[in-house]
Amino acid sequence: MSLKICIVGSKGRMGQAIAEAAIEAGHQVSSKVDVGDDLAAGIAAADVVIDFSFHTVTKSVFRAAVEFGKPVICGTTGHSQEEKAELLKIAEKTATVWAGNFSIGVNLLCYLVEKAAAALPADYNAEIVEMHHRLKKDAPSGTALMLADAVLEPRGLSYDDLRHGREGITGERTQREVGMHSLRGGDVVGDHTVIFSEIGERVELTHKASSRAIFARGAVKAAEWAVGKKPGIYSIREVLGLA
Ligand code: NAD
């Protein structure tokens, strides 16, 4: 079925990649919304909305999607945990797929990291390293936070156990802490590695994205999947068949 899609953040790197992926999949981009455009009118005129813009925009997008009864696919990152909790309360009133990464490879990586974190003893120290292009505005990346969830949950840890970078006389590494390191530079689309190290060996699980098309195709697939679904928050793993 051909869908009318509203893209929020349409002039951005992802917005443009999503427009290409939508047309490639036989859909119509009925509204392109960027700074200064009428968000509500754009969403009202579409079957589904895909938002890859900026964290301050998400609340208006979710509110308009709920008001007009449209499914919403959100790839925007950079929200605090408090912001996320508040936004999810709005988003659950319409069919929503919200993920820090829409690629099948990264979602498989998250699954594998969850298994590794559960299988390896707690003294296998976990560290997360991500690298992105120099124009990225938030850190750590939404994907790095998905990977953090995959490490923290099986180990009974929380976001308070994340150690964002290290500097100065830090003392010895504690067993609980999970290091989080953000590198920025050039045109890197997105590299993520989770390292589990113990005395004598280390396991490294890595994903490298070389094109934004993988996220864009995943977002379009999520849009196709979400149309006609009941209100609620759906996981990207469900959409990609990795649940
Ligand atoms: P970008 O800076 O290239 O594009 C963002 C766009 O949003 C810009 O065109 C900007 O003008 C627009 N925008 C800002 N405020 C707006 C507003 N009030 N109303 C409408 N549009 C507005 O960034 P990008 O690289 O395209 O990334 C966009 C978002 O998607 C970021 O949060 C990024 O981290 C995230 N992202 C997610 C995934 C994923 O798979 N979930 C993949 C890549 C990027």
Side-chain angles (χ1 to χ4, degrees):
M1 184 180 60
S2 174
L3 298 173
K4 285 187 280 175
I5 298 179
C6 169
I7 299 176
V8 182
S10 57
K11 292 185 179 160
R13 286 173 288 270
M14 278 307 303
Q16 293 177 51
I18 290 162
E20 275 177 33
I23 289 161
E24 198 180 274
H27 304 300
Q28 187 193 336
V29 180
S30 54
S31 350
K32 291 187 172 183
V33 178
D34 209 283
V35 175
D37 296 328
D38 188 340
L39 176 70
I43 291 180
D47 298 315
V48 54
V49 51
I50 304 182
D51 168 48
F52 280 65
S53 57
F54 197 55
H55 71 106
T56 52
V57 186
T58 314
K59 195 190 271 188
S60 320
V61 172
F62 284 179
R63 279 194 174 146
V66 169
E67 184 184 345
F68 297 109
K70 310 291 178 174
V72 60
I73 311 307
C74 182
T76 302
T77 62
H79 311 83
S80 67
Q81 290 307 303
E82 295 72 32
E83 268 180 300
K84 262 189 197 164
E86 189 195 341
L87 290 166
L88 285 170
K89 283 189 194 144
I90 307 172
E92 70 190 11
K93 296 181 186 131
T94 190
T96 301
V97 183
W98 187 10
N101 197 299
F102 279 83
S103 95
I104 193 157
V106 157
N107 283 283
L108 176 66
L109 176 70
C110 288
Y111 171 84
L112 296 173
V113 167
E114 241 172 55
K115 298 287 165 212
L120 292 167
D123 53 0
Y124 276 70
N125 305 143
E127 299 274 317
I128 301 167
V129 186
E130 56 109 334
M131 180 160 188
H132 282 83
H133 55 89
R134 63 181 173 219
L135 301 173
K136 183 162 178 62
K137 297 181 185 76
D138 57 307
S141 69
T143 306
L145 292 170
M146 286 168 73
L147 292 166
D149 290 337
V151 172
L152 296 170
E153 277 172 27
R155 292 189 163 191
L157 302 172
S158 75
Y159 274 47
D160 292 341
D161 297 305
L162 290 179
R163 184 81 182 253
H164 294 275
R166 291 188 181 84
E167 189 187 23
I169 312 299
T170 58
E172 291 181 7
R173 189 193 194 286
T174 62
Q175 184 168 293
R176 282 183 77 87
E177 71 194 61
V178 175
M180 177 69 92
H181 312 279
S182 297
L183 318 183
R184 294 288 176 266
D187 59 357
V188 178
V189 173
D191 292 356
H192 294 86
T193 296
V194 181
I195 305 163
F196 293 94
S197 12
E198 170 52 317
I199 310 295
E201 69 172 352
R202 94 182 164 258
V203 179
E204 297 191 2
L205 296 166
T206 295
H207 177 273
K208 293 187 180 188
S210 48
S211 163
R212 288 185 178 82
I214 52 160
F215 314 129
R217 283 193 215 113
V220 170
K221 192 167 178 185
E224 291 163 350
W225 185 93
V227 169
K229 290 280 186 305
K230 286 189 196 141
I233 313 288
Y234 296 94
S235 95
I236 180 62
R237 285 199 203 170
E238 228 175 311
V239 174
L240 297 174
L242 291 170

